[in-house]
Amino acid sequence: MTTPRASIGAALSGYALVTLVQAVATFGAVAVFTRLLHTQDYGRYTLAMATAMFLQAMLFTWLHAGMVRFYEKTRGDETAFADHLATSWAALGVGAVLAVALALVTQAWFGLLPFATAAFMIGRAALTLALEQHRMAGEVRRYAALETGQAMVGLIAGVALVRLTSLQESAPLFGMAIGTVTALLFDLRVVRAALRGRVSWPHARVLWTYGMPMGLAMLMHLITQLFDRFLVATLMDEAAAGVYAVAYAAADRPLMMIFTWLGMSASPLILAAFERDGQAAAQEAMERLASMILLIVLPAAVGLAMVAEPLSAVLVGREFRGPVVHLLPWIAAASVVNGLTVHYLAVPFVLHRRSGLLAGTMAAAALLNTVLNLLLIPRLGLWGAALATIVAYALVASVRYFFARRWLNLRLPVDDALRCIAATAAMATGLVWLPLPHGAAGLLPSIATGAVLYATAAWALDAAGCRARVNDVLRRVRRAG
């Protein structure tokens, strides 16, 4: 077997810094931009970000998915591998030209905002292609350095542009574009590696055939996740869309960062295990991933919901706080289901190249989410948008689990689940009964208390084998020292 318990744990520890810095940059952006930008400007910025993500899915996600899926398969043949990289970067160039053309067409209506969106989107797509190469090659430190560097440079540049220029809602996007370009300048070797190969149009068709349904799946996922903001702006107003986006940023982003951290650590190992040793090895790695999700995501989601009031007081401007406090627990629930859908239940589809079916399951959720939003937002406001998202994610999770069971025996680690639930319940009980401060002053004491309570209970119960995992990390630290 190529996926021992320690291997996923080692990858998780390697990517921990990336997740921490991304969290700082994300929360920092919300805290700063909700104070520096007017509500309407922040609403337009969030709609531009959503548009960038939609276009990213249409223009580039197929390429990223194809590059990752065939990286391991071509790696053993030097010529095929070089051609694989060259073809991937050439396809990126085609997408970049299309993005610039779209900005030129739409600038008459939206001014600089389309160019800011295109600059961010192209820079992020190029950096993602480079980062995925490092991730698949197991170059954790280089991945971490590039991702953390771009996050911090992008935030600092965005804040500077808001304060020093009149770019308003375009400033954060231009700032993030500066961050990605800066990181790429320190990673030109990936481009040089691509220049050693030849562009292969037959291979481009292979990438497109596999990746296009993955791009459609991501597009449908984004419609489910983000299209409700456009509906809120239409059925309510742009200010309400900004408030909803802030609530999503406070609840969804930290949980999705954790899921992404787990996914980026485990997915290369699962894919390599499947290609080299077959289905049994992949299934073993999937069980390890399920245990780690229970150990880390469950207490994070419950804790996030319980500190909604002090978290909102620290992170967001005063005019956003009331609605955010009420929305945050519901969006946290939706984010957990979403994370399971994307980073766990989608893996069997990727292994068995069922990308078309993956897209179909997400299309059904996107349609249901849109219909429910149209029905619920006029009646329930922002809470109706959150409820529609929960129902849509629950549907796609159920359908994907039904199909995934045909290819992999996805066994729930019941013993790990019970221990993690018990440890989380102990944490929640303590947070309810202990006399902790309210408001912004209560955030750090609540987080510290919850972490100590959960860690103590998890260690006492040995939840998800956490004692062995911690000892593995400590042994690696001692050897490194």
Side-chain angles (χ1 to χ4, degrees), residues 2 93 105 169 196 225-226 236 262 284 340 481:
T2 60
V105 169
E169 64 267 17
R196 290 196 291 267
Q225 185 179 35
L226 300 176
M236 298 176 71
L262 294 169
E284 179 186 347
L340 288 171

Side-chain angles (χ1 to χ4, degrees), residues 2-263:
T2 60
T3 57
R5 180 185 295 265
S7 60
I8 292 181
L12 284 171
S13 60
Y15 288 113
L17 177 62
V18 178
T19 305
L20 178 61
V21 172
Q22 286 177 334
V24 171
T26 296
F27 287 135
V30 173
V32 171
F33 294 137
T34 57
R35 288 169 169 84
L36 293 181
L37 295 174
H38 296 298
T39 308
Q40 296 281 3
D41 291 334
Y42 190 85
R44 284 191 289 270
Y45 156 65
T46 60
L47 293 176
M49 276 292 293
T51 302
M53 296 178 73
F54 286 131
L55 293 174
Q56 182 98 350
M58 290 187 283
L59 295 176
F60 300 113
T61 295
W62 69 270
L63 171 61
H64 297 146
M67 196 282 293
V68 168
R69 183 61 184 85
F70 295 100
Y71 186 96
E72 190 71 34
K73 207 168 188 64
T74 59
R75 198 173 182 181
D77 185 327
E78 184 175 347
T79 300
F81 186 62
D83 292 349
H84 174 58
L85 298 181
T87 303
S88 298
W89 281 93
L92 178 78
V94 174
V97 170
L98 293 174
V100 172
L102 186 60
L104 289 170
V105 169
T106 57
Q107 64 90 25
W109 292 279
F110 301 104
L112 277 177
L113 194 56
F115 291 102
T117 303
F120 160 68
M121 183 171 56
I122 294 169
R124 185 66 226 183
L127 182 60
T128 298
L129 194 60
L131 290 173
E132 292 289 37
Q133 290 177 227
H134 295 308
R135 184 171 69 92
M136 295 305 295
E139 298 171 350
V140 178
R141 291 184 179 178
R142 192 163 189 85
Y143 183 107
L146 293 169
E147 188 70 296
T148 55
Q150 72 83 23
M152 299 312 297
V153 171
L155 176 59
I156 293 169
V159 172
L161 290 173
V162 171
R163 296 298 300 270
L164 302 176
T165 72
S166 59
L167 291 172
Q168 296 176 317
E169 64 267 17
S170 298
L173 292 163
F174 277 125
M176 288 184 284
I178 291 171
T180 57
V181 171
T182 302
L184 285 168
L185 290 175
F186 285 92
D187 199 37
L188 292 177
R189 71 182 180 95
V190 297
V191 180
R192 289 196 296 268
L195 293 176
R196 290 196 291 267
R198 295 183 303 175
V199 176
S200 168
W201 295 116
H203 187 60
R205 285 195 296 271
V206 171
L207 294 177
W208 171 260
T209 301
Y210 171 79
M212 183 271 293
M214 298 294 288
L216 288 176
M218 177 56 72
L219 180 61
M220 294 301 104
H221 174 257
L222 290 173
I223 290 174
T224 307
Q225 185 179 35
L226 300 176
F227 190 61
D228 50 9
R229 299 180 190 184
F230 293 93
L231 295 176
V232 168
T234 301
L235 299 173
M236 298 176 71
D237 53 43
E238 289 180 341
V243 170
Y244 190 69
V246 169
Y248 238 100
D252 181 72
R253 288 188 188 177
L255 292 174
M256 290 310 295
M257 282 179 185
I258 295 173
F259 271 112
T260 301
W261 170 44
L262 294 169

Side-chain angles (χ1 to χ4, degrees), residues 247-340:
Y248 238 100
D252 181 72
R253 288 188 188 177
L255 292 174
M256 290 310 295
M257 282 179 185
I258 295 173
F259 271 112
T260 301
W261 170 44
L262 294 169
M264 76 170 65
S265 304
S267 59
L269 300 173
I270 296 170
L271 185 57
F274 183 77
E275 292 289 349
R276 296 172 187 171
D277 299 324
Q279 187 150 306
Q283 186 165 301
E284 179 186 347
M286 287 288 290
E287 291 179 13
R288 301 275 185 255
L289 177 59
S291 295
M292 293 304 295
I293 289 172
L294 287 166
L295 181 66
I296 299 172
V297 175
L298 181 62
V302 173
L304 190 64
M306 297 191 71
V307 299
E309 190 265 335
L311 180 65
S312 300
V314 170
L315 283 184
V316 303
R318 187 176 302 276
E319 58 190 316
F320 293 90
R321 289 177 192 169
V324 168
V325 170
H326 292 99
L327 286 170
L328 197 147
W330 297 99
I331 295 175
S335 299
V336 171
V337 183
N338 178 27
L340 288 171

Side-chain angles (χ1 to χ4, degrees), residues 406-419:
R406 296 183 175 187
W407 308 310
L408 282 179
N409 185 14
L410 298 179
R411 293 191 295 266
L412 174 68
V414 177
D415 183 67
D416 287 347
L418 293 175
R419 292 170 190 261

